[in-house]
């Protein structure tokens, strides 16, 4: 069974641009979460989607947004990029989106903003 | 707000040693606790999941315990090998602002080096 896949794996963008990252969950998983990992802040929760609905959101500015499609694939978008947005963006999927579900992470997208 | 702390931040040991990694959390109202492994520049690999009603879980050379009342978990690695070298992250899942799904709160990790 294929794991969580994320595309692209690496991105270099310029300040002010926008970027879209994609995540395909494990087949049959309906919940997708996004996390940002930086050396300074560690892993921080961005948002969680289940059945195309955002169920939870972290403390990030409105420049960070996401969506989930009917096939459970998810995208996140960051507009007006800032240098501080440089990070590893990780996507996680879980089977049922319940509080007890195990989370499985993808390899991440490394975003560099110059 | 949930705070997760991992001690030690780094650990360097010779091959064959038995290890204990510690994780503590401030709010005991958690759904579950998950231990992950992260290799440099890579994503997270789930090692063990302990539900809030459980006390421990085992997988091969790994054993994780959970004491919810005291806000502590330990990851025990038996007979360590160089291939165990990685950063080990502890995360707790708890409810968040009325959401029944909650989110994962992560510690900063323990960077483990096992040398031959």
């Amino acid at each position: 069974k294929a794991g969580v896949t994320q595309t692209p794996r690496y991105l270099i963008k310029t300040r002010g641009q926008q970027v879209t990252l994609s995540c395909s969950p494990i087949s049959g998983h309906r919940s997708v979460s996004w996390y940002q990992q930086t050396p300074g802040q560690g892993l921080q929760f961005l948002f969680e989607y289940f059945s195309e609905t955002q169920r939870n959101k972290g403390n990030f500015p409105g420049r960070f947004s996401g969506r989930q499609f009917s096939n459970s694939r998810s995208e996140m978008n960051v507009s007006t990029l800032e240098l501080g947005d440089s990070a590893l963006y990780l996507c996680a999927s879980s089977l049922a989106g319940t509080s007890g579900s195990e989370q499985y992470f993808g390899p991440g997208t490394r975003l560099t903003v110059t | 707000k949930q705070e997760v702390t991992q001690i030690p931040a780094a650990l360097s040991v010779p091959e064959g040693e038995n290890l204990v990694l510690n994780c503590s959390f401030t709010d005991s109202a958690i759904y579950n606790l998950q231990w992950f492994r992260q290799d440099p520049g890579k994503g997270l690999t789930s090692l063990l999941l302990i539900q809030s009603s459980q006390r421990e879980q085992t997988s091969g050379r790994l054993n994780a315990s959970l004491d919810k009342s005291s806000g502590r978990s330990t990851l025990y690695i038996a007979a360590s090998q160089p291939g165990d070298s990685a950063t080990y992250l502890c995360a707790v899942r708890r409810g968040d602002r009325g959401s029944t799904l909650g989110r994962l709160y992560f510690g900063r990790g323990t960077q483990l080096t096992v040398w031959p």
Side-chain angles (χ1 to χ4, degrees):
Chain A
K1 202 176 202 181
V4 178
T5 58
Q6 292 186 245
T7 57
R9 293 293 312 280
Y10 303 92
L11 264 179
I12 300 176
K13 290 286 189 178
T14 304
R15 271 182 302 175
Q17 289 186 315
Q18 75 162 16
V19 67
T20 299
L21 312 182
S22 180
C23 171
S24 292
I26 292 171
S27 178
H29 285 196
R30 296 170 63 194
S31 173
V32 173
S33 300
W34 289 89
Y35 290 82
Q36 181 196 65
Q37 186 176 31
T38 59
Q41 299 296 320
L43 275 149
Q44 292 186 289
F45 172 77
L46 282 156
F47 23 65
E48 179 169 13
Y49 288 88
F50 179 74
S51 292
E52 302 177 65
T53 301
Q54 187 182 92
R55 295 296 183 92
N56 202 357
K57 188 178 191 301
N59 295 323
F60 278 81
R63 300 185 296 108
F64 291 81
S65 63
R67 58 179 176 168
Q68 187 180 33
F69 302 96
S70 58
N71 61 357
S72 295
R73 191 177 69 85
S74 177
E75 289 181 347
M76 68 163 281
N77 184 78
V78 188
S79 62
T80 319
L81 283 165
E82 299 177 0
L83 294 178
D85 297 333
S86 294
L88 180 66
Y89 289 87
L90 293 163
C91 163
S93 76
S94 62
L95 184 60
T98 60
S99 57
S101 298
E102 186 167 2
Q103 301 272 296
Y104 296 89
F105 281 78
T109 294
R110 171 73 62 183
L111 172 64
T112 302
V113 182
T114 62
Chain B
K1 186 188 174 209
Q2 179 72 269
E3 303 274 349
V4 181
T5 304
Q6 291 189 245
I7 295 172
L11 188 59
S12 181
V13 299
E15 182 177 8
E17 285 212 354
N18 299 323
L19 309 170
V20 176
L21 308 182
N22 296 292
C23 172
S24 62
F25 46 95
T26 54
D27 189 336
S28 62
I30 64 170
Y31 295 139
N32 56 47
L33 183 145
Q34 204 164 346
W35 282 93
F36 295 92
R37 166 189 172 136
Q38 186 173 32
D39 293 284
K42 302 291 179 64
L44 277 61
T45 300
S46 179
L47 297 173
L48 290 165
L49 170 71
I50 311 176
Q51 300 294 350
S52 62
S53 58
Q54 297 175 322
R55 294 300 298 257
E56 68 176 327
Q57 283 287 340
T58 298
S59 176
R61 294 183 294 109
L62 304 179
N63 175 275
S65 67
L66 173 63
D67 185 341
K68 208 172 70 155
S69 61
S70 67
R72 294 172 190 265
S73 175
T74 59
L75 178 66
Y76 176 82
I77 303 175
S80 58
Q81 304 169 357
D84 294 331
S85 298
T87 296
Y88 290 79
L89 293 153
C90 163
V92 297
R93 189 171 179 102
R94 57 151 287 170
D96 185 54
R97 288 198 294 263
S99 166
T100 56
L101 295 178
R103 68 165 80 171
L104 288 177
Y105 289 85
F106 282 88
R108 298 305 297 268
T110 293
Q111 188 173 1
L112 173 65
T113 303
V114 182
W115 40 276

